[in-house]
């Protein structure tokens, strides 16, 4: 099994920055894509950013130029650096990892528990 633990959320003023982390642990054989999603109150969960094993990245238009996704493969950790935060970035942020666990022959998708990000003055 694979467990994901997120950290780094909190309250920040508009224009501020936060850095989210998501560490994967457990019986991990291989990790492919690592993603961040978010869900604002009363809205559907939406995709934010992705980084694949080779390091290529992609972003939702709403965060492009402000957010940066990165990963540390040695630590099985994915990060989301969020700059120039806006009130509309307020949401619970979830990490999502596509991984192969020991004893498995396929990639499965795992979710973190979520971390709250609130942007408010």
């Amino acid at each position: 099994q694979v467990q994901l633990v997120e950290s780094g959320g909190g309250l920040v003023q508009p224009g501020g920055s936060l850095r989210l982390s998501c560490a994967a642990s457990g019986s991990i054989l291989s990790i492919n894509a690592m993603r961040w999603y978010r869900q604002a109150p009363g809205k559907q969960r939406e995709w934010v950013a992705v980084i694949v094993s080779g390091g290529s990245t992609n972003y939702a238009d709403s965060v492009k130029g402000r957010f940066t996704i990165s990963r540390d493969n040695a630590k099985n950790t994915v990060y989301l650096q969020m700059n120039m935060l806006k009130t509309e970035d307020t949401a619970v942020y979830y990490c999502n990892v596509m991984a192969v666990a020991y004893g498995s022959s396929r990639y499965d998708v795992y979710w973190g528990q979520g971390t709250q990000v609130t942007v408010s003055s």
Side-chain angles (χ1 to χ4, degrees):
Q1 271 291 358
V2 177
Q3 296 82 40
L4 303 179
V5 177
E6 297 147 349
S7 60
L11 173 65
V12 63
Q13 292 186 340
S17 298
L18 280 176
R19 189 193 194 206
L20 305 183
S21 300
C22 172
S25 62
S27 303
I28 301 170
L29 181 62
S30 175
I31 295 178
N32 189 349
M34 307 180 86
R35 296 177 174 88
W36 287 98
Y37 285 77
R38 67 185 181 185
Q39 187 166 19
K43 294 188 177 181
Q44 299 234 355
R45 189 172 298 189
E46 64 174 357
W47 168 76
V48 174
V50 61
I51 183 167
V52 297
S53 57
S56 295
T57 60
N58 201 8
Y59 300 90
D61 287 343
S62 59
V63 307
K64 202 170 291 185
R66 299 187 298 122
F67 291 9
T68 302
I69 189 171
S70 61
R71 63 192 284 171
D72 184 334
N73 291 327
K75 296 181 179 179
N76 289 332
T77 298
V78 61
Y79 305 96
L80 187 68
Q81 177 66 44
M82 305 184 295
N83 298 329
M84 296 182 288
L85 282 161
K86 305 176 181 180
T87 55
E88 52 262 45
D89 294 318
T90 295
V92 177
Y93 283 71
Y94 299 89
C95 66
N96 167 295
V97 168
M98 185 179 294
V100 179
Y102 278 101
S104 175
S105 58
R106 66 178 191 185
Y107 280 100
D108 285 311
V109 175
Y110 299 89
W111 289 90
Q113 81 287 354
T115 185
Q116 177 70 47
V117 171
T118 302
V119 185
S120 175
S121 55

